[in-house]
Amino acid sequence: MPHFRKILTPLLVIFLISGILLAAVNNLTHGQITKNARAVELRVIESVMPIAHDNDLYDDYIEIDDTGSSGMHAVTVFRARRNGQPIGAVFMPVTATGYSGNILLVIGMDYDGALLGVRVIKHQETPGLGDRIEPAKSDWINIFTGRSLLEPTVTEWAVQADGGKFDQLSGATITSRGMVNAVRQSLEYYQAKANDWFKAVTG
């Protein structure tokens, strides 16, 4: 038994020291990983909010979980302000229905409901067809910039194949239709809720 203890004690000390070191390293790296993830997300948010603002978008947000007909499920709305006054909002992620699965979007709009930008976060669309929703592949996604529920009208918020105002990507009508519908739904939801969202903070 004494011989066994002589062998076991150093091993226990080694395991204890190793555990302490691993915990310390984890604490240090976890903080940096969280910081890096925040920076990446903030760049995505800022990409569709070009209007100058002085608040921290990342910390000024509300969560939406509306499972009704709005399509706004598990979406975060980041609110942009300047001198305390609301100037716009960013929705992320908004889910659109694509040909090969869900498409995740980030959508920015000014306070009056005009689109500032739409970008794709994630998709599984067919290379050479549906993947042209990426700005690196084509400029199609820029057709949303500057649009609102007034221009075009709500009834015209559809692809041309459905009698609407928006061009569809050649060979990717389903993808285009899903994108247009998702952006329109976001604008409609914003129009219905914006006053309450900003009132909750500005009073």
Side-chain angles (χ1 to χ4, degrees):
M1 184 65 69
H3 178 69
F4 176 74
R5 287 178 178 173
K6 287 181 180 180
I7 297 174
L8 182 61
T9 300
L11 290 175
L12 290 175
V13 172
I14 291 171
F15 286 138
L16 180 61
I17 293 173
S18 298
I20 293 172
L21 289 174
L22 285 172
V25 170
N26 181 66
N27 287 336
L28 290 173
T29 57
H30 177 73
Q32 187 59 47
I33 290 171
T34 300
K35 184 178 179 181
N36 291 344
R38 175 189 173 107
V40 169
E41 287 192 344
L42 190 54
R43 282 197 296 271
V44 173
I45 296 166
E46 297 277 6
S47 71
V48 294
M49 180 50 64
I51 301 176
H53 52 277
D54 54 20
N55 68 316
D56 188 341
L57 285 178
Y58 199 85
D59 293 325
D60 191 347
Y61 67 90
I62 55 174
E63 301 284 353
I64 299 173
D65 196 358
D66 187 342
T67 55
S69 60
S70 68
M72 294 292 106
H73 174 62
V75 176
T76 301
V77 177
F78 299 91
R79 297 172 289 196
R81 307 173 192 274
R82 185 168 59 244
N83 298 324
Q85 297 302 309
I87 59 171
V90 174
F91 284 41
M92 185 175 79
V94 173
T95 303
T97 302
Y99 179 79
S100 301
N102 288 336
I103 301 169
L104 300 184
L105 308 173
V106 56
I107 301 173
M109 58 200 77
D110 68 20
Y111 184 65
D112 294 324
L115 288 165
L116 300 171
V118 178
R119 288 293 179 266
V120 175
I121 303 171
K122 183 179 180 181
H123 74 86
Q124 305 173 59
E125 298 305 287
T126 307
L129 293 173
D131 72 337
R132 285 177 291 160
I133 56 178
E134 298 177 26
K137 302 291 179 66
S138 81
D139 63 356
W140 178 84
I141 201 168
N142 294 324
I143 64 175
F144 296 112
T145 304
R147 300 300 185 99
S148 69
L149 294 178
L150 297 176
E151 176 53 45
T153 62
V154 175
T155 57
E156 295 173 325
W157 264 88
V159 293
Q160 291 178 350
D162 298 332
K165 289 286 189 178
F166 291 89
D167 292 335
Q168 62 265 1
L169 288 166
S170 178
T173 299
I174 292 175
T175 300
S176 306
R177 180 184 294 124
M179 294 272 289
V180 171
N181 289 340
V183 175
R184 188 200 74 247
Q185 288 174 344
S186 298
L187 287 174
E188 290 174 335
Y189 202 83
Y190 176 80
Q191 184 180 68
K193 303 290 186 178
N195 286 338
D196 291 335
W197 292 340
F198 284 105
K199 187 187 300 181
V201 175
T202 59

